[in-house]
Amino acid sequence: MCGIFGYVAHKKTNAVEECLKGLQALEYRGYDSAGLAGIKQGKIHFYKRVGKVRNLKELVFEEEVALEIGIAHTRWATHGGLTEQNAHPQLDSSHSLALIHNGIIENYQEIRFNLMNLGKEFVSETDTEVISQLLAYEYTDFAFIPSLVRTLEQLEGSFAIACIHKDFPDAIFASARDCPLIIAKCKKTDDIFISSDANALSRQDMELIFLHDGEIAQISAGIITLYDKKGLIIQKAFESISLCSKSSSKEGFEHFMLKEIFDQPLSLSQVIKNRFDSHTAKVQIHECKDLGQIEHIRLIGCGTSYHAGLLVSSIFEEMLQIETSAEIASEFRYKDPILRKNSLVIAISQSGETADTLAALRLAKSKGAKTLGFGNVMHSSLFREADLFIDLKAGPEVSVCSTKAFTSQIASLLLFALYLKQTIKGVDVALDTTFFHHLESLSGIVTDVLQQKDLIRSFAEKYADYENFFFIGRNLMYPTSMEAALKLKEISYINATAYPAGELKHGPIALIDETIPTIAFLGNEKTLSKTFSNLTEIQARKGKILALSPRHFTKITTITNDVIWLQNDLPDFFSAIPYSVAAQLLAYYIAKKRGKEIDQPRNLAKAVTVE
Ligand code: F1P
């Protein structure tokens, strides 16, 4: 989603190159236009392009642009269509300032209306231009910070901004309210960077300051001055954090998604190695204490992370005999959920920046619940705001479509359930040797699925031209099928609807004919024969079936020859992992056959920072 980057060199230099590098590092988040602005000889210069950063790069190279300081932005359209006018930076009418912005200004229409009544003319449809115009209107007497304070006080919503003004040719001003914004100073060069995403700062030895609660920063060569939201000077210590660099290499794979699918044997073994001591057969989660009194658990997340929560919720309930439910964060936050001191709210988020998940987490905290974040990005907002945080350690995930983070979420959450069994229930989980045997075999089982890539690819090519699919499963295979359908939707833009297999006959079966294939997930022993019966109902109506089935279930060939055979001696708890990996490959190869842009699908973003 939108990304902010800014650069102030310690010694005068051209800021353009650093800004472009910053934008390239932000690309993985998903965006649809890019722009940058800077100051040269006391004048604001700005450049914008719809589409990829490379289009902007071509423009600034063509014009041999040199700027003394720079702010840069990748925009994911929210207010207003995908046009150059709506791309950031947004300027005021007299071009005295340029501003970039992440987040949403909820009352922008009222402010815009008032400013228009005062004679201001707007050139874009964005809420960002409203901030630029309002700030220019509030600005008087070379007093920039007080005018910024007055402007920010009038804005409703959560946002991060960075801005330059021609009267302060060596400064960038930045502020953030409930949206990430980091100021980083390079220890070696004293150059200062601003970014909304730590991943864009991973290239050098950095000291960091995180802006919170409307704090403002004024940044000029080597100097950072900080103010609170009222404009009073404050002091904040740098945090010395080693940022892990987001791997920019596909390591020979055609797409990051394929690389990340193939990372899974390793990412899963990392989860297990980090949390499970194979000598004592104990689960060790150092980050978590004081969980002994937990009486009920809520798992919240969005998209793939919600599916991970939904999947494990029934496992938690069965394993711990503690009431557990999973909820979509954007829904949960508008309910009045019953939460108490002994409620544990687990927020799951790969990026740790999903706005709805963070809002739900804040609601849970305000109601006194204990909160635990499961995330893949250290120092993310989730890391900073949750009471406890468990790092998924899946390694950087670049492709917008989540793959290895999902399987690491499931494996980590399963281990966490065992940990709770150990700590709350006092059960000696070490006795469950079969569980640990299967846990340790997961990487090998996933490798076995990956080895079937050519077969999966041939099925993908056979099914790639259909425009509608059903994905069905029962019990734990239902959330597995939901996640699989989401993969297909995200990257191939095919309509894929997931249903609990038993629900088909209550309506959706009316749609079944030879034009809508069904992808069936049979990795649940408990419900195998029932799912089989549901498939015979589909076959009787001429529906095509591609089954993902355990190897022992040869009966499936009586209704379809299109079968991806998977491990059969795995407990139902674990099946979601290999079945999901097979479904990821299927979605990948279908999208490839259809010629789609796999790593950065249209309209999607890696970190969804708007509500
Ligand atoms: C949630 C999510 C992802 C999805 C896409 C959009 O992100 O829905 O599952 O693949 O990237 O956002 P997160 O909260 O897990 O970072």
Side-chain angles (χ1 to χ4, degrees), residues 302-305 348-352 354 400-402 490 605-606 608:
C302 298
T304 295
S305 296
I348 311 166
S349 171
Q350 189 288 130
S351 62
T354 300
V400 165
C401 179
S402 185
E490 284 181 307
K606 187 71 187 154
V608 185

Side-chain angles (χ1 to χ4, degrees), residues 267 297-298 395 411 468 477 500 533 562:
S267 54
I297 300 173
R298 306 258 196 165
N468 295 288
M477 284 291 114
S533 305
D562 292 350

